[in-house]
Amino acid sequence: MDVNDVVQERIAAARRKAENDKRRREELAAARKRGLAYRHAQKLRNLANSLNNQTLAASGAH
């Protein structure tokens, strides 16, 4: 192996690492987006339930 072969191997390894890092960031971003959407939907459900409970309490119904 000469120096050019070593350099080419290092370049290829760096490209593989960059591709793997990019793929991992994309997967984490997708998971984060799903989690944010779930938390937002849960917040809206909790808010709706809270408003329903306040309305029932104000009307005297149980």
Side-chain angles (χ1 to χ4, degrees):
M1 289 184 80
D2 65 352
V3 173
N4 289 331
D5 292 337
V6 173
V7 169
Q8 291 301 319
E9 285 182 18
R10 287 186 181 184
I11 291 171
R15 282 192 183 124
R16 282 191 303 272
K17 182 182 183 311
E19 290 169 2
N20 288 339
D21 291 348
K22 181 179 178 182
R23 188 176 312 112
R24 179 169 163 75
R25 282 191 305 272
E26 289 171 352
E27 290 169 358
L28 290 173
R32 185 170 34 256
K33 188 174 183 179
R34 285 190 304 272
L36 287 172
Y38 176 81
R39 286 192 296 277
H40 181 67
Q42 185 63 40
K43 180 179 178 181
L44 292 177
R45 283 191 292 272
N46 290 341
L47 180 60
N49 288 337
S50 173
L51 293 175
N52 287 339
N53 291 339
Q54 289 176 1
T55 303
L56 291 176
S59 68
H62 293 283

